[in-house]
């Protein structure tokens, strides 16, 4: 796999793509929803082709070998010893967030999350009759951090669950072990279950950053943690709907499975096939992807510097840039950039008004074109 393979444009119009259909028949480059415009690794495509060639698409069952591959991957990457029975297969992480809310506590209990945040974190508590409590992340020395004091203040006897995202979408932080330990200590103190969404853990862009799964901090933290993971962001297979939870605490796992019963379908055969190939055969592709995304991020950062009223804090993971537009004087930045031919995602959806999220998971040429459009529009706006 060469880094330059990611330069090859793939036509996604008319392929039922959520990202591209949004601006059907419009000259707007879609840099919003979090999927990438790259083909999946060749091994994933090959595994899917073989499975399709078989031609029988009955009900799927999680292959034991796949659960073994997941356990082996977690041990290798994170030194995390996971027993096969801890794994609960899911058709997606949004589903997992909602099941977590339903499985912990009772109606009217409180669920805390740190904002800005991926929008389903804001809706999942309400979907299950829980009360959403938000605590803003803050910036310190141009880095997004958790305001532990504010977090602790917002905890009440009704707080049962924390929905946490690491690496963080949209701010791109890889939280350090010390930060995670402080967060976990608070959850321990107030007996709060942690649902840790780690879907972006394969997208750590710099070698000096490491992903620490929350559940690996200490046995008592593992005991109160529901971890959600998937190959879908890293290997660009979100449309195949295959994810999993890791829940070592038997009681929590039972509650989670009870909340799923009769509602949540198992992943399908194609999702399993893609996941197996992604986790076992795609290390080189993964490495090349990270190189490419890092260079794309540098392209984004360089371009944003040329637009003085916009800024971004350093992005450590994900292919998402969280752009601060509060000093731009733009009343509706997303509409403004759409009119300039670039489709961003509005910070309001993340409880982050004044910001917009830009997805840089696309061929660099397209990214440059979008950034040039943004720069021209800003120059025009400022004259
Ligand atoms: C933090 C986070 N969780 C979950 C999802 C979506 O997960 P799924 O497609 O598996 O429901 C996303 C997609 O962008 C995400 O960023």
């Amino acid at each position: 796999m060469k880094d330059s393979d990611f330069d090859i444009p793939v036509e996604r119009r008319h392929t039922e793509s959520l990202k591209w259909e949004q601006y059907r028949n419009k000259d707007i480059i879609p840099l919003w929803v979090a999927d990438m415009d790259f083909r999946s690794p060749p091994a994933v495509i090959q595994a899917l082709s073989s499975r399709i060639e078989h031609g029988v698409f009955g009900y799927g069952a999680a292959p034991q070998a796949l659960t073994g591959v997941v356990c082996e991957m977690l041990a290798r990457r994170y030194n995390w010893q996971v027993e096969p029975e801890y794994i609960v297969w899911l058709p997606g992480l949004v589903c997992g967030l909602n099941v977590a809310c339903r499985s912990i506590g009772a109606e009217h209990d409180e669920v805390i999350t740190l904002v800005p945040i991926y929008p389903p974190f804001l809706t999942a508590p309400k979907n299950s009759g829980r009360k959403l409590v938000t605590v803003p992340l803050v910036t310190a020395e141009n880095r997004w951090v958790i305001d532990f004091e504010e977090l602790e203040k917002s905890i009440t006897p009704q707080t049962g669950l924390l929905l946490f995202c690491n690496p963080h979408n949209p701010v791109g932080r890889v939280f350090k072990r010390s930060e995670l330990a402080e967060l976990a200590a608070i959850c321990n103190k107030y007996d709060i279950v942690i649902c840790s969404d780690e879907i972006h853990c394969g997208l750590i862009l710099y070698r000096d950053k490491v992903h620490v799964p929350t559940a690996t901090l200490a046995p008592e933290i593992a005991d109160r943690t529901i971890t959600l993971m998937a190959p879908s962001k890293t290997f660009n297979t979100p449309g195949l709907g295959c994810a999993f939870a890791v829940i070592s605490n038997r009681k929590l796992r039972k509650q989670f499975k009870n909340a799923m019963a009769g509602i949540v379908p198992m992943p399908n055969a194609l999702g399993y096939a893609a996941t197996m190939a992604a986790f076992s055969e795609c290390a080189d592709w993964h490495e090349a992807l990270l190189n490419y995304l890092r260079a794309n991020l540098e392209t984004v950062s360089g371009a944003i510097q040329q637009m003085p009223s916009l800024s971004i804090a350093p992005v450590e993971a994900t292919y998402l840039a969280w752009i601060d537009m509060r000093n731009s004087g733009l009343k509706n930045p997303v509409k403004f950039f759409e009119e300039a031919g670039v489709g961003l995602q509005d910070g309001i959806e993340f409880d982050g008004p004044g910001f917009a999220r830009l997805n840089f998971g696309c061929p660099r040429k397209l990214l440059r074109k979008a950034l040039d459009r943004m720069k021209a529009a800003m120059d025009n706006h400022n004259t």
Side-chain angles (χ1 to χ4, degrees):
M1 184 73 201
K2 297 190 300 297
D3 291 5
S4 58
D5 290 351
F6 294 101
D7 280 331
I8 301 167
V10 182
E11 178 58 80
R12 296 189 67 195
R13 288 183 190 93
H14 313 297
T15 62
E16 308 85 35
S17 152
L18 179 66
K19 189 182 191 183
W20 284 81
E21 282 301 299
Q22 169 99 342
Y23 299 113
R24 176 199 269 264
N25 300 330
K26 291 187 184 146
D27 181 20
I28 299 177
I29 300 170
L31 302 184
W32 66 289
V33 72
D35 67 27
M36 301 188 283
D37 291 333
F38 307 130
R39 281 165 67 81
S40 283
V44 167
I45 297 170
Q46 183 55 50
L48 289 168
S49 301
S50 305
R51 186 62 191 81
I52 286 172
E53 192 51 39
H54 179 252
V56 181
F57 305 109
Y59 294 115
Q64 264 185 12
L66 176 57
T67 304
V69 162
V70 168
C71 293
E72 190 272 324
M73 181 270 292
L74 296 174
R76 181 168 29 87
R77 288 199 195 152
Y78 310 116
N79 197 18
W80 186 11
Q81 309 309 322
V82 166
E83 298 297 330
E85 71 259 27
Y86 299 175
I87 310 272
V88 182
W89 289 97
L90 293 165
L93 264 81
V94 171
C95 166
L97 292 168
N98 279 276
V99 171
C101 289
R102 269 159 227 250
S103 59
I104 306 301
E107 276 201 20
H108 310 300
D109 277 358
E110 291 170 9
V111 177
I112 294 193
T113 199
L114 310 174
V115 296
I117 191 66
Y118 173 61
F121 281 60
L122 302 172
T123 47
K126 293 179 193 163
N127 290 344
S128 49
R130 292 351 181 222
K131 185 175 163 224
L132 171 72
V133 176
T134 57
V135 178
L137 290 167
V138 291
T139 45
E141 292 165 14
N142 197 29
R143 167 189 288 262
W144 289 95
V145 292
I146 301 168
D147 184 341
F148 292 109
E149 215 174 291
E150 202 49 45
L151 173 66
E152 204 161 351
K153 268 198 234 150
S154 62
I155 294 170
T156 75
Q158 276 66 52
T159 312
L161 177 67
L162 168 76
L163 294 182
F164 181 55
C165 187
N166 182 37
H168 191 276
N169 172 9
V171 306
R173 268 305 308 285
V174 179
F175 291 107
K176 289 192 228 154
R177 182 178 290 275
S178 55
E179 294 172 285
L180 295 173
E182 196 163 348
L183 182 75
I186 294 175
C187 293
N188 233 5
K189 181 171 167 191
Y190 295 97
D191 194 18
I192 295 169
V193 172
I194 306 168
C195 177
S196 188
D197 177 329
E198 302 183 9
I199 195 170
H200 294 281
C201 65
L203 294 168
I204 311 286
L205 298 175
Y206 296 97
R207 285 186 208 283
D208 63 337
K209 302 275 176 284
V210 282
H211 175 67
V212 179
T214 308
T216 62
L217 289 170
E220 68 271 21
I221 304 306
D223 225 33
R224 60 174 64 259
T225 301
I226 297 166
T227 306
L228 301 175
M229 285 183 168
S232 56
K233 294 289 149 183
T234 312
F235 301 98
N236 208 27
T237 55
L240 292 175
C242 187
F244 57 92
V246 183
I247 314 173
S248 58
N249 178 321
R250 186 191 299 263
K251 183 163 165 264
L252 268 189
R253 194 165 64 240
K254 187 160 188 293
Q255 282 169 232
F256 191 88
K257 284 186 173 174
N258 285 348
M260 287 169 63
I263 304 172
V264 177
M266 292 295 279
N268 63 67
L270 298 181
Y272 288 133
T275 302
M276 186 71 172
F279 284 150
S280 47
E281 298 176 57
C282 300
D284 291 349
W285 185 94
H286 186 186
E287 191 65 33
L289 172 75
L290 295 177
N291 290 339
Y292 196 86
L293 289 178
R294 205 160 38 239
N296 270 9
L297 172 57
E298 278 154 25
T299 303
V300 172
S301 304
I304 295 295
Q305 272 173 17
Q306 304 301 312
M307 300 178 231
S309 62
L310 308 188
S311 64
I312 41 173
V315 175
E316 300 168 343
T318 76
Y319 45 80
L320 307 163
W322 182 241
I323 307 175
D324 187 347
M325 303 194 167
R326 288 172 299 180
N327 294 329
S328 65
L330 299 170
K331 276 209 193 70
N332 186 338
V334 169
K335 186 158 174 279
F336 172 83
F337 286 117
E338 275 179 358
E339 281 164 8
V342 181
L344 305 176
Q345 196 153 352
D346 200 327
I348 289 172
E349 294 171 37
F350 299 76
D351 201 354
F355 288 76
R357 197 187 70 173
L358 180 151
N359 173 345
F360 55 85
C362 65
R364 200 158 306 134
K365 197 167 164 198
L366 185 70
L367 180 63
R368 285 216 177 96
K369 188 171 172 184
L371 292 165
D372 286 348
R373 286 181 176 186
M374 288 175 68
K375 164 94 170 78
M378 283 312 288
D379 287 349
N380 207 15
H381 170 71
N382 291 330
T383 52

